[in-house]
Amino acid sequence: MQADIHGTGSMWSAIGPRRALGSHGGGARTRAAGVMLTALALGGCALHGHQSALDPAGPQSGRIVSLWWFLIIVSAIGWLAVVVTLAVGAVRAERSPDSPERGTSPEVEHRLHRRIAWAVAATVVILFVFMVLDFRTGAALTRAPAVQPLEIDIVGHQWWWEARYADSSPQKSVTTANELHIPVGRPVVLQLRSSDVIHSIWIPNLNGKKDLIPGYVRSVWFQADTPGVYRGQCAEFCGDQHAKMGLVIFADPPQKFAQWLAAEQSPASPPSASMAERGQAVFLAGSCPLCHRIAGTPAQGGNGPDLTHFASRTTIAAGMLPNSRGVLAGWVLNAQQFKPGVKMPPNPMGSADLQALLVYLEQLR
Ligand code: CUA
């Protein structure tokens, strides 16, 4: 994950100084665009292929990428044909001296009309083929899975993802945030809701985008055939921190997934040492329980991520920051400096309380 974070960071810092785009001349604009493109390219490299629509890890993304390559290759051939025709015409016009009859004789006119008619017909046929293939891909993507899928309820929030793995016995239902675990080789259906504004879930290695619309339940399904860690991203502008609304998908072999699920279904680890006990007291006495839930404790808030197994997650802040002690300390003290506008308020506290709180959070495995 480290690489992901660096990649996004470089992109963010490059896009940050937007003034350069607006207030200076063309040179500054070109430079800024250059920096952005370089940063985007570097960001792409740093992702190690984990977030790429061109690197499919399942049947849905495989279909999308096949359609993409067909469209891009046929369009490139069409573009080349237009450019070559233009160039040939320009060279011919240059070579032959101006003659008043040129292009006006009936045979020449007729020949030109026929060529234009052929070109229009070819364009219509190509666009029609594109449309049919597009419909066919769309239909294949929405066809219901053939085997019993794993269902995950997803709720989009400004700016994080809540995920719930329901179970027939309520105590075994798992609620987590921003990191999904899925078994490879089995269809996964996401039931999508939003708690506030329109978001869009996009995991390019696995499928296309699907909007989360307040007041509606929508669904999308995909399957991962290649184990790996994939990155998703909110793909619909949803407010200040839209760009920092990421998620991480761990596609694990079925046995490893079952182990993860069993661990998440178990109750939160109680504080095992006096330091962690003090940390729990700090957590419960502060404003944390108003928004966060830790199963088995009085903290039952539902506005922020469920922290029952917080330490099992590799990232915080919706996939944007590593879940390490230093970063977490900064986040707890003032999340606003990382994600201005995020609902988590600053939590000023003494260093002993902070250390204890961090110890407590780190043992919530
Ligand atoms: Cu949520 Cu953009």
Side-chain angles (χ1 to χ4, degrees):
M1 278 317 300
Q2 208 65 8
D4 291 11
I5 289 145
H6 290 159
T8 319
S10 64
M11 196 167 92
W12 192 248
S13 53
I15 294 170
R18 229 176 303 167
R19 284 170 294 122
L21 286 168
S23 53
H24 302 294
R29 209 168 291 155
T30 316
R31 270 198 304 280
V35 169
M36 271 177 72
L37 285 175
T38 313
L40 283 167
L42 289 173
C45 295
L47 290 169
H48 292 304
H50 286 161
Q51 184 182 348
S52 168
L54 301 180
D55 183 14
Q60 280 83 9
S61 48
R63 281 180 184 278
I64 293 172
V65 84
S66 302
L67 179 67
W68 149 265
W69 281 120
F70 182 78
L71 298 191
I72 202 82
I73 290 168
V74 173
S75 304
I77 292 170
W79 178 80
L80 264 180
V82 169
V83 169
V84 168
T85 311
L86 267 176
V88 168
V91 168
R92 276 192 191 166
E94 185 84 359
R95 278 187 191 158
S96 54
D98 285 341
S99 61
E101 304 85 44
R102 190 177 163 77
T104 55
S105 78
E107 303 95 83
V108 173
E109 284 270 309
H110 187 66
R111 205 169 63 223
L112 286 178
H113 281 169
R114 232 179 22 224
R115 283 186 192 168
I116 290 170
W118 274 113
V120 170
T123 308
V124 169
V125 168
I126 289 170
L127 289 179
F128 188 76
V129 170
F130 280 8
M131 188 183 71
V132 170
L133 288 177
D134 188 56
F135 284 164
R136 277 185 48 170
T137 304
L141 293 183
T142 49
R143 205 170 292 138
V147 290
Q148 179 68 22
L150 169 75
E151 260 192 39
I152 309 174
D153 293 320
I154 302 283
V155 184
H157 298 265
Q158 282 175 315
W159 294 277
W160 59 283
W161 307 92
E162 180 180 349
R164 192 158 178 274
Y165 296 69
D167 193 277
S168 47
S169 69
Q171 316 90 296
K172 289 198 154 184
S173 290
V174 167
T175 305
T176 182
N178 304 320
E179 294 192 3
L180 300 182
H181 287 249
I182 59 169
V184 290
R186 183 176 168 195
V188 176
V189 173
L190 302 183
Q191 301 287 357
L192 306 169
R193 291 175 178 80
S194 169
S195 71
D196 36 47
V197 299
I198 300 178
H199 303 273
S200 183
I201 194 162
W202 188 30
I203 310 160
N205 297 75
L206 297 173
N207 204 344
K209 302 168 185 174
K210 190 84 171 185
D211 283 1
L212 290 73
I213 301 176
Y216 290 86
V217 184
R218 312 183 79 216
S219 67
V220 65
W221 80 274
F222 54 77
Q223 182 173 312
D225 288 333
T226 315
V229 183
Y230 307 107
R231 195 176 174 281
Q233 171 67 41
C234 180
E236 178 76 38
F237 181 71
C238 55
D240 289 352
Q241 299 301 334
H242 152 73
K244 293 186 180 177
M245 187 170 167
L247 74 160
V248 186
I249 293 88
F250 295 85
D252 294 329
Q255 205 180 355
K256 199 172 165 201
F257 168 75
Q259 280 169 3
W260 172 83
L261 192 62
E264 293 285 311
Q265 284 170 336
S266 62
S269 332
S272 52
S274 60
M275 186 79 152
E277 266 171 31
R278 176 174 175 176
Q280 189 186 50
V282 170
F283 185 92
L284 295 174
S287 56
C288 318
L290 298 176
C291 293
H292 295 286
R293 173 177 175 269
I294 297 177
T297 75
Q300 296 293 320
N303 296 322
D306 188 301
L307 301 180
T308 306
H309 294 283
F310 169 74
S312 71
R313 305 206 280 263
T314 61
T315 58
I316 61 169
M320 302 319 300
L321 299 166
N323 188 0
S324 64
R325 181 175 281 205
V327 173
L328 184 60
W331 179 262
V332 167
L333 288 175
N334 187 6
Q336 300 296 324
Q337 66 182 338
F338 297 97
K339 277 174 102 165
V342 74
K343 296 212 171 70
M344 178 136 155
N347 295 286
M349 65 180 78
S351 99
D353 278 353
L354 179 64
Q355 289 303 324
L357 178 61
L358 295 172
V359 168
Y360 173 58
L361 292 173
E362 280 173 357
Q363 55 112 68
L364 293 173
R365 301 214 152 266

